[in-house]
């Protein structure tokens, strides 16, 4: 018997009517003879509202308490969905993350799943039940509730699909799949029918709306992930291992354009140019949970001092600046400056490896559009430029057209 994991995001369960709609979709899959485990997010903007509520009583809410509070959002949606299924005559049961056997480390607000004990899930499935699991939450070894980080329900779903050896993990959302660029920015963007894990990871990390850790997990456990709309029956996008026969020359093109507008740059000026300085700066950032993206170190003319610049999300900027100012004296830095008005724009495509010319073409397109490049980074299948926030959407449109992705059909 086929087993599917379905995941429905907050917009798909935003109100009672939508929850009943989701219940019907799950019932249809069950009626067609499959087992289904469904992971849901909190209804609509519930998580944001709970965070706002916490901030009304505390400037810096305690991380343990905040996670326990946030976990309630998903408890509301799983129980309602289970009730809706029962109302339609199906045997459904809702389980919190801990009840579903999801164990995490104790990094509140960004916990990582350490293991999933699938015994309860298997037991309920064996009894012919539809199982509804709360996304985004787990239990520490000390039995405290954690959350996995914003958007973490995708990761819950793929983790369950991996341990249950599901045939597929379906992520249902309010868009019809993964596009060559954000369709709200580029109306000519085309829906991808399939995309490799590596490419999707770059697209997800660079702005498309999926939890990047879910793609990583999918790649490691080889879980096919299907992204589609919960509001239509239109075909979505399959994220999977790209078949080898497609690594042919006709794949040599850019797959998509991604962007992020919440980029801030920090520059530590005039630090000593000697071993250990970069480690001294970045180790404290890592341990305070700030994830650093682009890093540029300039060679100094006099070979005694240098400037180190790096980017973080604007959310992480206050923490990054706090760490830097407490280190400023230790590393002998002259000053720390920052710019919170930046964006990153990326071209992504596995066909770019070993093919020269993509970077220069990207820089030419941006230059012709009058867009200044602040920093540049590359991976094997991605080239990213840091530019001003104001020009980000224009850059996406220019690159989409320049790399011949516009769908004029
Ligand atoms: N409800 C959580 C959030 O809004 C988790 C999720 O939606 O995946 O971030
Ligand atoms: Mg959400």
């Amino acid at each position: 018997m086929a087993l599917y994991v379905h995941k429905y995001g907050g917009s798909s369960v935003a109100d009672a009517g939508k929850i009943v709609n989701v219940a019907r979709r799950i019932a249809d899959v069950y009626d067609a003879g499959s087992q289904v485990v469904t992971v849901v997010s909190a209804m609509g903007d519930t998580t944001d509202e709970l965070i706002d509520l916490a901030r009304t009583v505390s400037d810096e809410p305690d991380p343990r308490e905040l996670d326990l509070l946030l976990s309630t959002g998903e408890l509301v949606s799983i129980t309602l969905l289970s009730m809706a299924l029962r109302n339609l005559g199906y045997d459904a049961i809702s389980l919190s993350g801990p009840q579903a056997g999801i164990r995490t480390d104790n990094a509140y607000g960004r916990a990582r799943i350490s293991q999933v004990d699938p015994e309860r899930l298997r037991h309920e499935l064996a009894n012919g039940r539809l199982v509804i699991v709360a996304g985004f939450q787990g239990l520490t070894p000390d039995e405290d509730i954690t959350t996995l980080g914003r958007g973490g329900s995708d990761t819950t779903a793929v983790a369950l699909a991996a341990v249950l050896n599901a045939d597929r993990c379906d992520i249902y959302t309010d868009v019809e799949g993964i596009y060559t660029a954000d369709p709200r920015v580029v109306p000519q963007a085309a829906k991808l029918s399939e995309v490799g894990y590596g490419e999707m990871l770059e697209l997800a990390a660079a702005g498309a709306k999926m939890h990047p850790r879910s793609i990583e997990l999918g790649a490691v456990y080889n879980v096919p992930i299907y992204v589609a709309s919960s509001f239509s029956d239109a075909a979505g996008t399959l994220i999977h291992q790209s078949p080898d026969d497609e690594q042919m020359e006709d794949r040599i093109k850019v797959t998509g354009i991604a962007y992020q507008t919440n980029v801030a740059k920090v520059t530590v000026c005039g630090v000593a140019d000697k071993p250990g300085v970069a480690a001294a700066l970045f180790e404290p950032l890592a341990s305070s949970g700030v994830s650093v993206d682009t890093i540029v170190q300039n060679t100094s003319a006099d070979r005694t001092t240098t400037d180190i610049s790096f980017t973080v999300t604007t959310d992480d900027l206050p923490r990054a600046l706090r760490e830097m100012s407490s280190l400023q004296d230790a590393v002998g830095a002259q000053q720390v400056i920052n710019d919170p008005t930046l964006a990153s724009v990326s071209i992504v495509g596995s066909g770019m490896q070993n093919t020269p010319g993509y970077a220069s073409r990207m820089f030419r397109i941006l230059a012709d559009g009058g867009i200044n490049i602040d920093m540049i980074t590359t991976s094997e299948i991605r080239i990213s430029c840091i530019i001003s926030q104001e020009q980000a959407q224009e850059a996406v449109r220019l690159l989409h057209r320049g790399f011949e992705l516009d769908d004029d059909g």
Side-chain angles (χ1 to χ4, degrees):
M1 194 191 281
L3 166 63
Y4 298 106
V5 173
H6 278 205
K7 180 259 173 178
Y8 292 88
S11 55
S12 300
V13 292
D15 58 43
K18 288 179 177 147
I19 289 176
V20 173
N21 172 52
V22 167
R24 289 210 183 89
R25 293 177 63 100
I26 299 166
D28 285 347
V29 179
Y30 181 86
D31 287 344
S34 300
Q35 294 180 314
V36 193
V37 171
T38 305
V39 173
V40 280
S41 298
M43 294 171 70
D45 297 326
T46 301
T47 307
D48 290 315
E49 287 159 13
L50 291 171
I51 292 172
D52 290 345
L53 190 57
R55 293 211 173 114
T56 60
V57 295
S58 164
D59 295 335
E60 234 172 307
D62 178 78
R64 178 195 178 276
E65 302 305 323
L66 184 62
D67 270 12
L68 189 51
L69 174 69
L70 296 189
S71 73
T72 63
E74 271 69 11
L75 299 184
V76 172
S77 48
I78 55 167
T79 43
L80 291 177
L81 180 55
S82 178
M83 290 174 200
L85 276 161
R86 288 179 161 271
N87 190 51
L88 295 175
Y90 293 83
D91 189 6
I93 182 168
S94 65
L95 299 174
S96 68
Q99 288 175 313
I102 299 168
R103 301 288 176 265
T104 72
D105 61 19
N106 51 22
Y108 295 111
R110 55 187 161 88
R112 296 182 73 92
I113 297 175
S114 48
Q115 70 180 83
V116 180
D117 174 0
E119 206 180 317
R120 178 77 188 267
L121 289 167
R122 290 229 172 90
H123 175 76
E124 301 299 349
L125 287 169
N127 284 335
R129 287 181 152 167
L130 287 162
V131 185
I132 319 292
V133 179
F136 173 60
Q137 56 182 254
L139 196 68
T140 69
D142 297 331
E143 307 207 321
D144 282 315
I145 305 256
T146 50
T147 66
L148 309 183
R150 298 307 306 274
S153 299
D154 293 341
T155 296
T156 303
V158 176
L160 295 185
V163 295
L164 294 171
N165 206 4
D167 293 85
R168 207 176 57 216
C169 182
D170 289 0
I171 307 278
Y172 291 104
T173 174
D174 52 3
V175 290
E176 286 182 1
I178 309 300
Y179 287 75
T180 50
D182 184 342
R184 285 164 305 186
V185 175
V186 184
Q188 301 87 343
K191 194 176 10 170
L192 298 165
S193 60
E194 59 173 345
V195 61
Y197 293 115
E199 289 175 317
M200 186 58 211
L201 194 52
E202 299 286 12
L203 289 169
K209 285 198 303 177
M210 268 189 82
H211 203 227
R213 282 159 47 195
S214 67
I215 315 293
E216 266 165 0
L217 213 49
V220 171
Y221 290 92
N222 201 6
V223 179
I225 303 171
Y226 179 69
V227 183
S229 167
S230 63
F231 302 111
S232 84
D233 292 321
T237 303
L238 185 65
I239 307 168
H240 63 156
Q241 225 145 40
S242 13
D244 280 343
D245 56 10
E246 282 188 313
Q247 301 288 341
M248 303 291 286
E249 307 270 353
D250 61 354
R251 291 257 310 167
I252 299 181
K253 58 177 177 28
V254 169
T255 302
I257 314 289
Y259 79 110
Q260 252 172 332
T261 51
N262 57 342
V263 177
K265 180 174 74 167
V266 178
T267 303
V268 187
C269 304
V271 295
D273 190 4
K274 62 173 195 214
V277 169
L281 290 178
F282 292 109
E283 279 165 358
L285 282 177
S287 37
S288 69
V290 174
S291 98
V292 172
D293 199 21
T294 307
I295 302 174
V296 174
Q297 176 178 331
N298 298 317
T299 35
S300 53
D302 59 1
R303 296 202 159 266
T304 59
T305 65
T306 181
D307 295 346
I308 296 180
S309 295
F310 59 89
T311 62
V312 296
T313 63
T314 45
D315 286 344
D316 278 346
L317 181 62
R319 256 193 299 164
L321 289 176
R322 230 180 292 149
E323 291 295 340
M324 288 303 109
S325 61
S326 71
L327 287 166
Q328 193 169 341
D329 290 341
V331 297
Q334 282 147 21
Q335 58 170 337
V336 178
I337 54 178
N338 75 87
D339 181 353
T341 66
L342 299 173
S344 78
V345 49
S346 307
I347 61 173
V348 176
S350 58
M352 302 195 311
Q353 339 184 32
N354 309 319
T355 311
Y358 283 95
S360 58
R361 190 164 156 196
M362 179 179 194
F363 304 154
R364 169 54 54 202
I365 292 166
L366 293 176
D368 288 349
I371 294 168
N372 186 47
I373 300 170
D374 201 310
M375 297 163 101
I376 300 163
T377 48
T378 64
S379 79
E380 276 193 345
I381 60 168
R382 169 181 59 80
I383 304 169
S384 301
C385 293
I386 305 295
I387 61 174
S388 86
Q389 242 157 49
E390 278 168 13
Q391 292 178 306
Q393 299 202 346
E394 178 63 7
V396 174
R397 283 188 284 268
L398 290 173
L399 291 167
H400 199 268
R401 188 178 322 134
F403 281 99
E404 288 155 38
L405 293 170
D406 277 7
D407 181 2
D408 298 319

